[in-house]
Amino acid sequence: MPGDHRRIRGPEESQPPQLYAADEDEAPAARDPTRLRPVYARAGLLSQAKGSAYLEAGGTKVLCAVSGPRQAEGSERGSGPAGAGGEAPAALRGRLLCDFRRAPFAGRRRRAPPGGGEERELALALQEALEPAVRLGRYPRAQLEVSALLLEDGGSALAAALTAAALALADAGVEMYDLVVGCGLSRTPEPAPTWLLDPTRLEEEHAAAGLTVALMPVLNQVAGLLGSGEGGPTESWAEAVRLGLEGCQRLYPVLQQCLVRAARRRGAAAPS
Amino acid sequence: MASVALSEAEKVYIVHGVQEDLRVDGRGCEDYRCVEVETDVVSNTSGSARVKLGHTDILVGVKAEMGTPKLEKPNEGYLEFFVDCSANATPEFEGRGGDDLGTEIANTLYRIFNNKSSVDLKSLCISPREHCWILYVDVLLLECGGNLFDTICIAVKAALFNTRIPRVRVLEDEEGSKDIELSDDPYDCIRLSVENVPCIVTLCKIGYRHVVDATLQEEACSLASLLVSVTSTGVVTCMRKVGKGSLDPESIFEMMETGKRVGKVLHASLQSVLHKEESLGPKRPKVGFLG
């Protein structure tokens, strides 16, 4: 892989030894398709960020930080029809800038930090899923920066990043309509294709199709949807979306408790 | 995308019209605008196509080059997509303005073609682990009139249908050194089968209903859209929610069904147009950019 030749003296191209290993036919073990891995969530752990959250689900570890609202660069002065609820006109609405980064050691192969297309795509997916939930009209001419860092990819990375980002935004005190909860799914290949909720990395690698759904649980609105692969007919995808939405609803109480605990911790620390 | 300034009254007019299944230009909610497809417009490419859908104009060129296959898939060639939003389309795309949109469209195309059944990549292999064909698909946005994704996918499918890859043989010497030999006959080439290449159908949610093939004005009234990529047999290969708003789960299921229905009709008409154009042979009148 092209490396930084000034700092690292090494061969031009380097590969991990697993590529030359004999085929390890490690098929993922059969399991209950609707099981969710136990989740550990903690909000308010970074001192330098306005809001932050860490989420761990199985082997997936995501850290998310929110900063802002800061003055937006290149904010144009415009006036247009005001939105409902006394919010700023469309030209003055706040912006949400999302950044998704993978640590170089997150996956099986080392990936140098400018990850290229995939990270931009996931950052765009994050932004499209978080925008319906954040009241951007209350932050005119300002921008909120959300940056998600994937420390280890153990399956359903985008879903974990979405959930962590929503927790971080809530921890930062940003006005939101509702939390956003993300859930990943993957479809086992033929024969007998079934949709599995919250796949591990091994299940994702062997999958024929993958899907991530983001739900706003109280409003029951789908905030984000991204899926691709050989998923079969529309009925199969509809069933997957339903399964994902159910998974999101089951995850919601854990996140509520996490935010309550973080608020209590902040409250206990403040008076001193 | 290109934005258009609409007053509140115009937005209300469009939304109320859509509720009654009547759009501003008289179409129904599931009707496409008139599509013009022409292949083989650029002579320096292995395959090209130009598609005009209302005011949206897309030009796609495919160039086939030889290279080394990827390490994880030594028996297959691959496709590389690049989307260029030229400043002709809207003034917003001047300089680096169109880069974000270009990357978004390219990433969506990668996602759609990311599965085994879309294009037969094994036919692009020349010799395993050493040589394979890489198809560079370059998309040029000439004019933006709403509904970019659908048009681009139709153009890519037409360009891949038109692609002619020269037949190549690998000869081995006595010493073991390999030599590539190009066939002498310029018409001896391999064609790709585009039967399973999917088409994108973008469904924009306006009010309580969804519309297919939205114009710029209709896109300005819609907060959220669902992008579905459907093959000719009704198999969905990619799904994505686009836009700032959120969607109701029930409307997602309805939109998927509509997408599948509309997609099948789109595929059937595109296949018939492409085959008809090809059957006219080299004597067909070329319209190009003058028509």
Side-chain angles (χ1 to χ4, degrees):
Chain A
M1 121 215 87
D4 184 1
H5 290 286
R6 268 170 248 132
R7 279 190 302 159
I8 306 164
R9 307 273 177 104
E12 291 274 331
E13 287 277 323
S14 62
Q15 276 96 36
Q18 283 88 8
L19 216 55
Y20 302 101
D23 265 331
E24 14 159 306
D25 263 338
E26 218 187 302
R31 48 99 151 177
D32 172 24
T34 58
R35 75 105 179 89
L36 276 177
R37 288 176 296 187
V39 160
Y40 170 75
R42 172 150 168 181
L45 63 158
L46 293 177
S47 59
Q48 296 300 314
K50 188 95 187 291
S52 55
Y54 173 73
L55 191 96
E56 203 177 299
T60 309
K61 303 176 171 73
V62 183
L63 180 60
C64 189
V66 166
S67 62
R70 208 174 287 165
Q71 183 174 12
E73 301 127 27
S75 44
E76 58 268 55
R77 271 148 233 306
S79 56
E87 294 184 359
L92 296 178
R93 271 170 65 109
R95 287 204 314 228
L96 193 66
L97 293 177
C98 292
D99 183 33
F100 182 91
R101 251 175 240 250
R102 234 179 239 271
F105 40 77
R108 240 205 256 251
R109 292 193 63 176
R110 178 183 185 270
R111 257 191 258 196
E118 202 213 342
E119 292 188 352
R120 295 273 289 277
E121 193 192 9
L122 294 179
L124 183 67
L126 259 183
Q127 187 187 346
E128 282 182 341
L130 292 171
E131 268 189 304
V134 178
R135 290 192 75 185
L136 287 170
R138 304 279 282 157
Y139 299 97
R141 293 204 203 99
Q143 68 189 27
L144 290 159
E145 282 149 14
V146 178
S147 63
L149 176 62
L150 183 70
L151 297 168
E152 190 184 329
D153 186 1
S156 350
L158 178 61
L162 271 168
T163 320
L167 279 177
L169 280 167
D171 185 50
V174 169
E175 291 194 41
M176 293 169 78
Y177 290 112
D178 194 359
L179 264 190
V180 177
V181 187
C183 210
L185 294 111
S186 76
R187 190 182 203 234
T188 53
E190 309 279 329
T194 37
W195 282 98
L196 299 170
L197 190 60
D198 200 13
T200 58
R201 196 193 61 201
L202 199 59
E203 285 166 351
E204 264 185 1
E205 279 172 9
H206 284 97
L211 177 68
T212 306
V213 277
L215 173 75
M216 296 199 283
V218 176
L219 300 175
N220 197 29
Q221 292 275 304
V222 174
L225 187 69
L226 182 61
S228 64
E230 292 161 66
T234 43
E235 293 78 24
S236 163
W237 286 96
E239 179 207 322
V241 171
R242 276 197 196 96
L243 191 58
L245 297 183
E246 210 186 280
C248 293
Q249 291 281 5
R250 276 157 61 191
L251 207 49
Y252 188 48
V254 177
L255 308 174
Q256 281 177 310
Q257 273 179 24
C258 156
L259 284 175
V260 165
R261 244 182 265 133
R264 275 206 198 109
R265 227 178 285 131
R266 209 177 299 124
S272 60
Chain B
M1 306 226 194
S3 54
V4 67
L6 279 189
S7 69
E8 280 301 310
E10 281 174 301
K11 281 190 191 159
V12 167
Y13 181 70
I14 292 178
V15 171
H16 283 182
V18 166
Q19 307 287 84
E20 310 288 327
D21 195 18
L22 194 62
R23 290 154 81 171
V24 174
D25 44 11
R27 288 183 283 157
C29 285
E30 296 185 10
D31 295 334
Y32 266 90
R33 285 170 283 182
C34 181
V35 188
E36 292 165 29
V37 178
E38 197 188 344
T39 56
D40 206 20
V41 276
V42 181
S43 45
N44 285 337
T45 54
S46 312
S48 59
R50 179 166 175 245
V51 176
K52 234 174 118 62
L53 175 72
H55 282 296
T56 307
D57 202 343
I58 307 282
L59 177 63
V60 174
V62 179
K63 273 188 128 28
E65 288 185 10
M66 286 189 12
T68 30
K70 293 189 176 152
L71 277 169
E72 309 88 52
K73 305 208 167 116
N75 298 331
E76 297 176 354
Y78 54 96
L79 279 81
E80 290 274 348
F81 294 96
F82 176 68
V83 178
D84 185 21
C85 302
S86 88
N88 302 338
T90 37
E92 291 170 3
F93 293 161
E94 224 169 8
R96 310 292 307 256
D99 277 0
D100 279 339
L101 179 60
T103 338
E104 187 191 338
I105 299 177
N107 283 332
T108 311
L109 285 172
Y110 275 117
R111 211 165 248 280
I112 290 171
F113 282 85
N114 195 15
N115 56 348
K116 294 192 285 273
S117 50
S118 298
V119 171
D120 184 17
L121 295 172
K122 291 209 167 33
S123 63
L124 294 176
C125 179
I126 303 170
S127 53
R129 251 183 283 270
E130 281 164 33
H131 299 106
C132 71
W133 284 112
I134 307 174
L135 295 180
Y136 290 98
V137 181
D138 300 303
V139 180
L140 218 69
L141 232 79
L142 299 172
E143 204 185 338
C144 183
N147 202 15
L148 287 175
F149 286 96
D150 297 25
T151 325
I152 288 176
C153 212
I154 294 176
V156 168
K157 183 165 177 165
L160 286 175
F161 178 77
N162 182 238
T163 305
R164 282 160 173 74
I165 305 171
R167 230 179 265 278
V168 141
R169 278 187 312 155
V170 181
L171 304 166
E172 233 184 273
D173 261 349
E174 303 91 35
E175 290 114 39
S177 62
K178 299 206 168 143
D179 206 18
I180 313 263
E181 189 204 23
L182 196 64
S183 145
D184 279 336
D185 180 10
Y187 291 105
D188 179 22
C189 41
I190 44 178
R191 303 278 303 270
L192 281 176
S193 156
V194 293
E195 288 296 320
N196 284 329
V197 170
C199 265
I200 300 182
V201 180
T202 310
L203 300 118
C204 288
K205 180 128 190 271
I206 297 182
Y208 293 111
R209 295 190 67 155
H210 47 270
V211 298
V212 166
D213 189 22
T215 57
L216 278 178
Q217 286 81 4
E218 286 164 348
E219 276 179 0
C221 297
S222 123
L223 278 178
S225 329
L226 189 70
L227 204 134
V228 184
S229 128
V230 203
T231 61
S232 48
T233 45
V235 169
V236 172
T237 59
C238 173
M239 256 202 335
R240 206 184 122 191
K241 178 222 120 192
V242 181
K244 292 205 247 289
S246 58
L247 290 171
D248 208 57
E250 286 311 315
S251 36
I252 291 185
F253 303 137
E254 276 171 27
M255 285 179 174
M256 283 203 292
E257 288 302 315
T258 312
K260 181 171 94 167
R261 218 177 329 139
V262 171
K264 277 191 176 164
V265 172
L266 183 63
H267 270 286
S269 30
L270 182 62
Q271 289 283 83
S272 69
V273 163
L274 288 175
H275 282 292
K276 198 168 82 162
E277 207 192 18
E278 174 143 352
S279 67
L280 289 175
K283 298 221 178 25
R284 72 174 155 96
K286 295 211 172 178
V287 178
F289 290 86
L290 303 170

